[in-house]
Each structure stands twice: as structure tokens, then as C-alpha cells.
Amino acid sequence: MEKSLQAIDFKQTAWKSCNYCSNYFFKTPREFIRHLRDKHCSVEGGSFVCQYGYNGVCSSLPLDGVSDEDYEAHLEKYHVSQSMKEVEDKWNIFSAAQNLPSVLYDPAKGRQSNIFTKKWGDSFTDRQPILASPHLPKIDWTHFEVYCRKVGKRFRRHTKINSTQQQQQQIQNHQNHNQSFQLRQQNDHTPSSLSPSSSISSLQILENSHFRNIDERLLNEATIRDIPQIFLKPDLDFSKPETFSLVFHGLNIINSDAEHEDLQEKLSHYLDIVEIQIAKQVSQKSSSFFHAMTSQDAIMEEMSKATVNVKKLREKLRHVDDTLVRQSLNIINCERVKTNKQMVLEKLKLMATVHQTQPMIQVLLGTQDYVAALDLISTTQEILAQELSTIHCFRHLPHELKELEKIIDKMLMTEFEKYTTSDLNRPLLETDSRVLDEDKLISIISGLLRKKNFSFIDLYKDEAIMTIRALIKQLVIEVIATSDAEICLTGSGEEAQSLSLQEWILLLDTATISLLKLLKRIRLIHDVMLHVTDSSAGKGMEEELAYLNDSETFLSMTDHNCIETKLTNMLQSVGNYCHERCANLVSNHSLEQYSGSLDEMEKLSQIVEEFCSGCEEVIGIKSIPLMTALKAQGNRFSQKFHAERKSKLNLLLDNERWKSAEVPGEIQKMVNHIAKGDFMWTKLDDHFNGPSIVTPMLMVDNEPYALVGSALILIKIVSEYCRCASHLPIIASQMSRNVVDLLRTFNSKCCQLVLGAGAVHVAGLKMITISNLALVSRALQLVLWLMPHIKNHFLKLDQNGSSTGNLMGWTTVEKDFISHIKEVELKMLSIVGQLVNSQLNNWEARPPIPSQSFRNISRHFVKLHEAIAQVLPTEQIHGVFRIVHKNFKDKLREQLVRNNIVNNGTPQHGTVISELTFYLETLRTLKAMPANELSDETMEDIWIKF
């Protein structure tokens, strides 16, 4: 009985834990072997005895012990390898032929509607018969008939031989039994003289008789190593053909009796070796046998006393158990039952709460608390997955909650779309500074953010764009309704070139005001969306967001940054779209056939600038399309403005008689304002200063200017350019280029008409006189005075630095005017020089004095002075006469050399001195040059010194 219990216990052991020691667990087999050595092994005289078993006795190792090497092999063979083998053979989930995932995800089944209502068991899957393979032939018993007939004969012959061998073996065993029986009888009759005890004497007699029957040679030389290893294996089984063939190698029917006897002797020899080894072990442990036999009686007496004590101890334990332990254990049991019931009660309460989830969700949706509804769904799903996963009645609830979550998502998008449509299409009011139904909007946006549904921003942008398109179309329809013309609309909502410019400006004004109000409303919605997003991400919890402080922060910073970017792009896209639609109203397609006045263009520019500044304040960036369209219209206006005034100037110059004109008082006042840098003056500004006074000359910085009429008109035209640029700063750079082109035209036209004598053919002048040249020079000088003031005016209007590129044009045209003035002076000097040269070429130093040549020269100088004295300033007159005087002396010096007249006091010399005295007196009378430059000594350089 004990052996059977030990066998059962041994089969249940495993090397990972000890069956007889508590709290011993091992990670590797080597740790288990070390534990067996330390706790379940005894060493007696160098022999190791295994005590790992029931009552400290191992059923697989002899009680007398083995060597260290044999003990190690014993542990690995019986306590480790067998345990590992049994553990490996233990059934687990991987031994199953079919598991739940393979059934649920069977691709051949498709989607099964009743998979969650089936009971798990052998009927969970559909049974289908396994069809026979078409690649294998059908095999029946007829295919084995030939084989059975062939093998049957051999089997019958083998059976006959086997029965004959068994009979011989039985006879041989019977003979060996008889011999051993006789030998035991002889040993029993041998007298005993070694031991006082009968049992010990018989053991010694058996040992002595056994050693007397063994060959001395085997006793001294044979060892266990001489036996083949096949006989030492624990799984030696002769029923296996391979084992039988190894032991009885070459044995068959045709072997002789001598060969059979040799095999029998060999096996007998192996048996004798084993008996010798057993005898040696018994002889070595004889003292232990003596000790065991002598102490057996004492052990039995102690066992009887121990049995009595155990009975008494059991009675006491039973009494203690009845009086003390059972009641305490009953209390513990009751406490455990109470705890279990409380757990069941909590579970039931949790189930009741989960059961009320769907009605509570309906209540929350009715109050538009979408975030709380979604949080409730999420919490319920977590509870179902973690704590109620084994409750059968809730098996369909997770799927229902998931579908309900999808419905809430659609509901949120629908509610947001309805809110957006109603908010964007309600009337635009001046006092519209609050969001419509702000609490409702916050609830919807919070729910959408909770669902990670960020597409509502794109939806709002599309709705805003549609609202802008409809608003502009409605405004166009209203303007058309007030117009008398028959107008048809295009597909985009704007009419095609049928409204007047005033109607277009009115339409643009109304559209910009309405769009700006709409943009402010969109900005309010944008701010609410951004605040809700900040709160959902745990940012911006200030006092103004106190109503969001209780909300859960469920957005990550990545999602927050993504939404913030989308909101910024949405606001900027809507603002840019407003600019694009307004730009269509100011585009070339809409206004190309109209030419507005300066006031109309100024009104248009004011509307656009106010709208652009308002949009920039709302969306935070500058939009380009509308300003580009305005600039295009301004450029067209400036081109037409410039073409009209350039044509007017050309016409004035063509009809100019190049005579000095009177200066109206308004021109004088205009120049006075220009000198102060003010180009915005008009004659309406000085209506309290009395009537305008006409003057013969224009006073510029206290310097008189005698000017032709076209030069005076040029001042007015240039002032108009400057005033236009001041009213329309957006085209200031274009106007600056136009002024440069106008001045260049004036310069080239004056050059053609005067220096090129074009006025003789165009204006009908007889000839170009010095007076004409002087007036041209003075007009050009006036333009040179105007240029710095004009340039500074445009530089002040330059907002983007675009006028800086026109400085090169101003520099170039200034150089052209200076060059032209020099050419005019050279032309005057060349005319006078030709007259002087012609007179000096005919002059001779002889009476009468003054000669006719010098009289003519003086007369020409008087005419020159009369021609330029009322036109050119004194310094310029002195300069002209200084050059004429120098040329006169050079020509006179040449004439004196030609006539061989020297400064030697001769009559010819006296004649020259008299002529020069007359000449100088004429210049002194005219005050053509300073007095110190007209002294007699200044004429000494006409004489050549030898």
C-alpha cells in the first residue's frame, strides 16, 4: 500500500517544487538537485542514501546507499528527468485541436450573426464531414490478400519454431530449479557458528555457501562493466524485436545445440557477475544489518508507546477543536461569507447602474450635455470590459453603446451644421457682439472634440464661404433692383459691366460693411472654438473660461496644436475669400469701361482701405487680392489721368507764342504753398483773402520769374498730380513716374520748338529770338526749382518704399533740364557771337571814332540786354555778358594781330583805345557786368606782349 502511494506521489512531483518541503520553488533542475542533496540525502560511510519519498524512503534507490556518481545519476534519472517528462506530457491549451480564436476568425465562415448567442461546447462549431482526397486511391481488403497469403506461411512456421524453443526453455529452467533446490537443502543442514541470532546465522550461511559455489576467477576479475549495457537499461523489454535481436544476436532455428549452450553459459556468466556484486554489497553492509536486527525490538517497543501517545494527542486535539477552534473558524467563515455577499451586492449595484446607462444617456442628450453622455459611454465600456466581462446578460451592451456613440457623433455634426446655418444667416446688426446660444455651441464643440472629430472646422469654413457668396449675390440683386437698366446676372452672382461706376462704388461700400460684420461674427465663433479647445487640453483656465473649469482635459497637445492651426487657417481662408469676392467687384472685368473722377477713386480707395484694415484687425493678416484690384484700377486711372494732361501740355506747347505771360494770383498763391511743401492748396481755400491780383512776373523765393503761359499751366498740372497722389496713396509711385514723364515731355518739347525752331512751323513764329530763348531758359529753371519739392512730396507718400526706385528717373530728368538750360545759353551766346564776329571782321583802326562796327556792336549788346533783362536774373545776365565780353576780346585780339596793331602809342593804337572807351562806356551804361570788371585796365589783355 505504501509503495503504491509512493508511486502515485512520485508521478505527481515536478522539479519546480518539492513535494515534502513547503515554500521551496526552483528555477532550474540544478537547484532542485542541490536541494535534494541538502535536505533529502544522508551520507553513511561514504555512501549516499536518497530519502526523497514517503516517510523519508526513496523507492528507487537501495537502502544501503551508492557512490556520489551513482547518486547523481539516480537523481537525474528518477527525480528530474521523469518529472520533466511527466510535465511535458501534461495536457494544456495548446494540446487542443481547436481553440476559440481559430473559430471566431475562420475566414471561410464569413460574418456570423449568432456567434455571441451560442453556448461554448462541442456544438459551438458546425461539424462537417472530411471528404476523401481525390489524389489517394481507394484501398480495400482485396489489396492485402496476396500479402496475407505470403506472410501467413512464414508466420505459421515462426509460431511452430517459437513453441519448440519455449518447451526447451521450460525444461532447462526446471533442471536449474532442481539443482538450486538441492543446493539450498545442503546449506540449510550446515551447522551455524557465527551468530547468536538465528536470522543472522542463516544470512551468513547463505553468504558463505554462495561464495563457495562461485568460481574464484570470477570473484577476483569480474566487474559490472563486463555486462553489456543493454541488460542495465531500466526499459529492458524482450517483447520488442530490436531489444530481442540485440540480446540474442544471430539466434535462429538452424543454430546448433552447441551454440545454444554457449549463449546460455554467457547469460549464466552475466548472472553470476551480478550475484557477485550483490554479495559484495551485502558483505560491506553486514554491520548495518547487525545493527538493524539488534535494534528492531527496541524500535517496535518505542513504536507501541508512540502509538499510545498519538492516540492521546489526537483525543486532546479533537477536544481543542471542538471547544476552541471550530467556533473561531465559524466566525472566520461567516466573515468570509459576509465579504462575499458584500462583493455580490456591490456587483449587483454596479450592474443596476450599468443597466440605467442608456436612459441616463437619453437624459443627457436631451439637455445637450454631449460630453457627459460620451464620458458615460466610455466609463460604461471600461466597466463592462474590466469588471462585468463575465456577465452574460450584458454581452450585447458594448456593441449597443458603440452604435449609440456613432449616433451621437452624427447628431453632433447635424446640430453643429444647423447652428452654423442659423447663426451665419441671421440678420447682421451693429450691436452683434455676442455669440448666439453660446452654451449650446460650447456643448456641441466639446462633444465633437471629445470624439476627436475635427472636421467641423472645415464644415464651418464651407458654410461661411457659402454665406459670403449668398450675401454678395443678395447685395447685387438689391443694387440691380434700384437701377433702371436691364441687367442679367452671371453664374457667380456679379453682373457683367452693366452698372454705373457710382452704383459699383455703392455696391462695394455695402458689401464691405456687411462682410466686415460677418467676419466679426465668424471671429467670435472662432474665439469660442479656440477657448473650448484650450480648456479641453488643460490650457487657458482663466476667469473668462470659468464655465469650462469642470470639463475634463481629454485633448493631447498634438491635437490641440492641430486644431489651433486649422482654426487659424479657417479664419484666414474666410478673410481671403471675402477679399477675393470684393476684388471681383473692383476688377478689370467689372470697371474697365468706366473712367472715374478723382473723388470717385478716392471714395473707392477709402472703402477698400477701411475694409482691409478692418479685416486685418479681425483675421490678423493682410490680404492682397482686394488691394491688388484697387491698385490695378488706380493704375488705369493714373494712366488716363496722365494721358489727358500730357495731351493737354503738348497742345499748349504747340500753340505757345513764347512770349511773357501775366501771372494770375492763384498761380502765385499756389507757388507760395508749394514753396512750403503744400501741394493740396486750391483757389477755394483762399476765398476770404480777396480777389486774385494779376502780376507780370511770378515771385519764387523773392526772385522774379518771367514765364510763358505753358510754364504756368505746367505748375497747375504738376499740382494736380501731387494732389491726386495725396488722395490716392496707392498709386503714388505710378504718379511719380507719370510726373517724371510729363517733365521729360515738357523738356523735349521745348527743345524741339525753340532750339530746334519747331515753333516757326507749328506756332507760326517768324524766327527764334534771344527773348524766346531766355523765356525757355527761365521756364526750365522754374521746373528745376519745382523738382525737389515734387520729389519730396512723393517720398512722403511712399508707404512701401516703391517710390525709391523712381529716384533714378528724377536724377536723369534733372540732368536733362540742366543740360537743356546750358544749350539755351550757348544758343544765345552763339547768336551774339556771330553778330560781333561779323562786325569785327570788317573793322579797321581808323577814324571816324567810334566806328560803325563798334556802333553796331554796342547796338547788339543793347538789344541783348533788353531781351534778357526782363527775363533772366541779374547774376545770369552778368554771366551771359561776361562770356560775350570775353569772346569780344578774343576776336578783337585776333583782329589786332591781323592788322599788326600793337601797344606802342601810334595813331592806330590811339584809335583802338578810343573805340574801347566807347565800348566800355556802353557796357557801363547797361550795367551788364559789375563795375570792377569794366575798368580800362581789364582791356590790357587784348594786347600781345613781345
Side-chain angles (χ1 to χ4, degrees):
M1 181 65 181
E2 292 180 356
K3 291 184 179 180
S4 64
L5 290 173
Q6 291 176 1
I8 294 172
D9 185 73
F10 178 78
K11 289 181 181 180
Q12 295 178 352
T13 58
W15 61 266
K16 291 187 177 181
S17 62
C18 181
N19 295 331
Y20 306 99
C21 298
S22 61
N23 299 327
Y24 277 91
F25 302 94
F26 312 99
K27 297 181 179 180
T28 60
R30 181 54 54 190
E31 293 182 2
F32 179 64
I33 292 174
R34 189 180 300 111
H35 171 74
L36 295 181
R37 277 181 174 274
D38 297 336
K39 302 295 182 180
H40 302 281
C41 177
S42 63
V43 182
E44 299 177 359
S47 298
F48 292 82
V49 178
C50 180
Q51 296 179 350
Y52 186 71
Y54 187 77
N55 288 331
V57 177
C58 179
S59 61
S60 303
L61 190 68
L63 293 174
D64 52 353
V66 294
S67 63
D68 188 9
E69 181 178 358
D70 294 336
Y71 177 75
E72 188 80 10
H74 163 75
L75 294 179
E76 292 181 356
K77 179 177 181 181
Y78 290 97
H79 298 305
V80 176
S81 300
Q82 179 121 7
S83 300
M84 294 175 63
K85 181 178 179 181
E86 291 174 359
V87 171
E88 292 176 355
D89 294 338
K90 185 178 179 180
W91 187 91
N92 53 36
I93 190 172
F94 298 105
S95 303
Q98 200 171 44
N99 56 9
L100 182 59
S102 64
V103 174
L104 296 178
Y105 294 102
D106 186 3
K109 291 292 184 180
R111 184 172 180 179
Q112 304 181 35
S113 60
N114 59 346
I115 191 170
F116 294 103
T117 59
K118 288 186 176 181
K119 299 291 185 180
W120 180 251
D122 56 352
S123 62
F124 186 79
T125 59
D126 298 333
R127 296 183 179 181
Q128 295 182 357
I130 301 175
L131 301 178
S133 174
H135 303 287
L136 298 177
K138 292 184 179 180
I139 304 299
D140 53 10
W141 288 106
T142 58
H143 292 82
F144 298 96
E145 291 180 356
V146 177
Y147 175 78
C148 291
R149 287 195 301 268
K150 181 178 178 180
V151 176
K153 295 180 181 180
R154 298 178 183 178
F155 177 74
R156 288 190 294 272
R157 184 169 65 250
H158 172 73
T159 304
K160 183 178 180 180
I161 295 173
N162 191 21
S163 62
T164 304
Q165 291 180 352
Q166 289 180 355
Q167 292 176 1
Q168 294 177 358
Q169 184 67 27
Q170 291 177 357
I171 295 171
Q172 183 67 29
N173 293 337
H174 181 70
Q175 293 176 357
N176 293 336
H177 178 71
N178 292 333
Q179 292 178 0
S180 61
F181 180 74
Q182 294 174 2
L183 181 60
R184 286 196 298 272
Q185 286 181 348
Q186 294 176 2
N187 294 332
D188 293 337
H189 291 85
T190 304
S192 175
S193 59
L194 295 177
S195 174
S197 175
S198 60
S199 60
I200 297 176
S201 299
S202 63
L203 181 62
Q204 291 178 349
I205 291 171
L206 178 61
E207 181 180 356
N208 293 333
S209 64
H210 181 75
F211 278 103
R212 284 195 300 271
N213 292 330
I214 296 177
D215 195 310
E216 292 296 333
R217 183 179 59 81
L218 294 175
L219 182 62
N220 297 327
E221 298 179 0
T223 62
I224 197 69
R225 296 177 181 176
D226 296 335
I227 300 175
Q229 293 296 322
I230 186 66
F231 294 103
L232 304 179
K233 292 183 177 180
D235 55 347
L236 181 65
D237 186 5
F238 287 103
S239 63
K240 297 180 181 180
E242 58 272 11
T243 304
F244 186 86
S245 62
L246 289 175
V247 174
F248 303 100
H249 182 67
L251 182 65
N252 51 36
I253 303 175
I254 62 176
N255 292 125
S256 61
D257 295 338
E259 293 177 350
H260 294 168
E261 291 178 358
D262 292 340
L263 179 60
Q264 186 176 0
E265 290 179 0
K266 184 185 293 185
L267 296 176
S268 300
H269 177 65
Y270 294 155
L271 180 61
D272 293 338
I273 292 173
V274 173
E275 291 177 351
I276 290 171
Q277 295 297 325
I278 293 173
K280 285 183 179 181
Q281 292 291 331
V282 171
S283 63
Q284 291 176 359
K285 299 294 182 178
S286 59
S287 60
S288 299
F289 280 112
F290 263 121
H291 179 71
M293 294 302 295
T294 54
S295 61
Q296 184 176 5
D297 295 336
I299 291 173
M300 293 301 295
E301 185 178 357
E302 292 178 358
M303 287 292 294
S304 61
K305 293 179 180 180
T307 302
V308 175
N309 293 331
V310 168
K311 290 181 179 179
K312 293 180 180 180
L313 180 61
R314 286 180 176 177
E315 291 178 357
K316 292 180 179 179
L317 290 175
R318 189 179 300 107
H319 177 70
V320 171
D321 185 37
D322 294 337
T323 58
L324 300 177
V325 176
R326 289 187 181 275
Q327 294 181 358
S328 301
L329 291 177
N330 190 22
I331 294 173
I332 296 174
N333 188 26
C334 291
E335 180 65 25
R336 185 179 302 167
V337 171
K338 177 182 178 182
T339 303
N340 292 336
K341 289 183 178 180
Q342 287 179 350
M343 293 175 61
V344 172
L345 179 61
E346 294 295 332
K347 188 73 72 174
L348 291 174
K349 290 181 179 179
L350 185 61
M351 292 174 62
T353 304
V354 172
H355 184 68
Q356 296 296 325
T357 298
Q358 290 181 335
M360 188 62 187
I361 291 173
Q362 297 296 332
V363 172
L364 293 174
L365 293 179
T367 58
Q368 296 182 349
D369 195 353
Y370 301 103
V371 176
L374 292 173
D375 289 339
L376 180 59
I377 291 174
S378 177
T379 304
T380 305
Q381 289 176 339
E382 292 178 2
I383 293 174
L384 290 173
Q386 295 175 3
E387 301 185 19
L388 301 179
S389 59
T390 58
I391 306 301
H392 187 69
C393 62
F394 289 143
R395 65 184 183 277
H396 300 299
L397 186 57
H399 180 69
E400 294 175 357
L401 292 176
K402 190 173 182 180
E403 294 295 329
L404 187 59
E405 196 172 5
K406 293 180 180 179
I407 293 173
I408 294 175
D409 192 8
K410 294 180 181 179
M411 185 186 303
L412 286 170
M413 290 300 296
T414 304
E415 289 293 329
F416 181 77
E417 186 174 358
K418 290 180 180 178
Y419 177 86
T420 301
T421 304
S422 61
D423 180 65
L424 291 175
N425 293 314
R426 63 191 175 95
L428 300 172
L429 303 175
E430 291 291 342
T431 59
D432 193 6
S433 60
R434 293 186 58 85
V435 178
L436 177 66
D437 292 337
E438 185 174 1
D439 295 337
K440 179 180 180 181
L441 177 62
I442 292 172
S443 177
I444 294 173
I445 294 175
S446 300
L448 291 171
L449 294 178
R450 184 67 175 79
K451 282 296 296 174
K452 307 288 187 188
N453 187 355
F454 307 149
S455 61
F456 69 92
I457 301 175
D458 297 328
L459 175 62
Y460 188 80
K461 182 179 71 173
D462 296 338
E463 289 291 336
I465 290 175
M466 292 177 61
T467 303
I468 293 169
R469 188 182 296 119
L471 177 61
I472 293 179
K473 187 173 182 180
Q474 180 64 30
L475 293 174
V476 172
I477 293 173
E478 292 176 359
V479 172
I480 291 174
T482 59
S483 177
D484 297 332
E486 294 183 359
I487 302 171
C488 62
L489 293 175
T490 61
S492 60
E494 293 87 5
E495 59 84 30
Q497 302 181 2
S498 299
L499 294 176
S500 64
L501 183 59
Q502 292 77 14
E503 291 174 338
W504 272 117
I505 293 175
L506 176 61
L507 173 61
L508 182 63
D509 188 16
T510 308
T512 52
I513 294 173
S514 300
L515 290 176
L516 199 55
K517 293 179 182 178
L518 183 61
L519 281 177
K520 291 179 180 179
R521 181 178 296 176
I522 294 173
R523 179 57 187 262
L524 292 175
I525 300 297
H526 166 272
D527 293 341
V528 172
M529 292 179 181
L530 183 60
H531 289 172
V532 175
T533 303
D534 291 340
S535 176
S536 300
K539 295 178 61 178
M541 293 295 185
E542 291 85 5
E543 294 181 358
E544 63 270 14
L545 294 178
Y547 54 86
L548 296 174
N549 284 340
D550 297 333
S551 63
E552 183 183 3
T553 57
F554 46 81
L555 277 183
S556 63
M557 292 308 300
T558 303
D559 293 337
H560 175 271
N561 296 334
C562 177
I563 296 172
E564 189 175 10
T565 303
K566 289 173 72 68
L567 287 174
T568 303
N569 294 335
M570 180 271 291
L571 188 61
Q572 294 176 359
S573 299
V574 173
N576 291 331
Y577 184 76
C578 290
H579 275 264
E580 291 175 0
R581 295 307 295 262
C582 291
N584 292 336
L585 301 178
V586 193
S587 64
N588 299 337
H589 177 72
S590 302
L591 301 177
E592 61 183 0
Q593 65 179 358
Y594 301 110
S595 58
S597 62
L598 178 60
D599 295 336
E600 291 173 338
M601 291 303 299
E602 185 178 3
K603 177 63 175 176
L604 181 64
S605 176
Q606 181 182 0
I607 293 171
V608 172
E609 290 177 358
E610 290 178 356
F611 180 71
C612 290
S613 61
C615 284
E616 184 178 358
E617 182 180 355
V618 173
I619 67 177
I621 61 171
K622 289 185 177 180
S623 295
I624 300 175
L626 184 55
M627 292 300 295
T628 303
L630 176 63
K631 190 171 183 179
Q633 290 296 328
N635 290 336
R636 182 179 297 107
F637 171 78
S638 65
Q639 291 173 4
K640 187 170 184 179
F641 182 89
H642 177 58
E644 291 176 354
R645 279 140 185 87
K646 186 176 180 180
S647 176
K648 179 180 180 180
L649 181 62
N650 286 327
L651 184 61
L652 288 173
L653 290 174
D654 289 338
N655 296 324
E656 181 62 56
R657 303 294 297 176
W658 298 106
K659 293 181 180 181
S660 179
E662 293 181 346
V663 180
E666 62 183 40
I667 299 295
Q668 181 63 58
K669 294 177 182 179
M670 185 181 297
V671 172
N672 294 338
H673 283 277
I674 291 174
K676 299 176 184 178
D678 181 16
F679 284 87
M680 300 303 294
W681 176 88
T682 61
K683 60 182 180 180
L684 298 177
D685 298 333
D686 288 347
H687 60 280
F688 295 110
N689 295 338
S692 177
I693 301 175
V694 178
T695 58
M697 289 190 182
L698 180 67
M699 298 301 295
V700 179
D701 293 339
N702 297 324
E703 182 180 344
Y705 277 77
L707 300 172
V708 294
S710 57
L712 298 175
I713 300 300
L714 178 64
I715 297 174
K716 295 179 63 176
I717 293 175
V718 170
S719 298
E720 291 177 0
Y721 276 87
C722 295
R723 286 196 298 272
C724 180
S726 298
H727 289 290
L728 298 174
I730 194 171
I731 60 173
S733 60
Q734 180 67 24
M735 283 295 183
S736 177
R737 289 190 292 269
N738 292 342
V739 171
V740 171
D741 182 62
L742 184 71
L743 296 179
R744 187 179 290 112
T745 301
F746 179 79
N747 185 34
S748 61
K749 194 71 174 179
C750 290
C751 183
Q752 294 172 6
L753 294 174
V754 179
L755 289 180
V760 176
H761 304 286
V762 176
L765 298 181
K766 294 181 180 180
M767 58 181 300
I768 302 300
T769 62
I770 292 178
S771 179
N772 300 139
L773 293 173
L775 289 172
V776 169
S777 176
R778 203 56 174 156
L780 297 178
Q781 291 174 11
L782 177 65
V783 174
L784 282 178
W785 176 85
L786 281 172
M787 280 186 185
H789 299 283
I790 300 171
K791 182 168 62 174
N792 292 333
H793 177 75
F794 281 104
L795 288 177
K796 291 178 181 178
L797 295 176
D798 182 20
Q799 298 176 351
N800 302 320
S802 57
S803 297
T804 306
N806 298 329
L807 292 177
M808 185 64 68
W810 286 102
T811 304
T812 303
V813 73
E814 187 176 0
K815 291 180 180 179
D816 293 341
F817 271 83
I818 294 173
S819 175
H820 191 189
I821 291 172
K822 291 181 179 180
E823 290 178 4
V824 171
E825 291 181 355
L826 291 176
K827 185 66 174 178
M828 291 188 297
L829 294 174
S830 65
I831 294 173
V832 177
Q834 290 176 3
L835 295 175
V836 172
N837 291 337
S838 63
Q839 295 297 326
L840 289 177
N841 287 332
N842 300 324
W843 173 76
E844 293 180 358
R846 60 183 180 180
I849 297 174
S851 63
Q852 186 63 38
S853 297
F854 270 81
R855 290 178 182 275
N856 292 335
I857 291 172
S858 297
R859 187 169 51 252
H860 291 319
F861 280 2
V862 171
K863 290 182 178 180
L864 173 62
H865 188 271
E866 291 176 352
I868 66 176
Q870 301 297 323
V871 179
L872 300 179
T874 303
E875 291 296 331
Q876 189 174 0
I877 293 173
H878 291 173
V880 172
F881 274 95
R882 191 176 289 114
I883 296 173
V884 171
H885 178 60
K886 181 180 178 298
N887 293 335
F888 168 78
K889 291 194 296 181
D890 292 339
K891 188 62 178 177
L892 180 60
R893 186 184 301 109
E894 294 176 1
Q895 191 67 21
L896 292 175
V897 172
R898 186 182 301 113
N899 294 332
N900 196 19
I901 300 174
V902 296
N903 186 10
N904 54 2
T906 60
Q908 287 184 332
H909 173 262
T911 303
V912 172
I913 293 300
S914 299
E915 295 282 10
L916 292 177
T917 300
F918 173 75
Y919 169 78
L920 290 176
E921 188 62 29
T922 302
L923 292 180
R924 293 189 189 103
T925 303
L926 295 175
K927 296 180 181 181
M929 290 189 298
N932 57 351
E933 295 182 12
L934 297 176
S935 62
D936 294 338
E937 289 79 8
T938 58
M939 302 300 293
E940 293 294 334
D941 55 352
I942 65 171
W943 306 103
I944 299 176
K945 297 180 180 181
F946 296 96

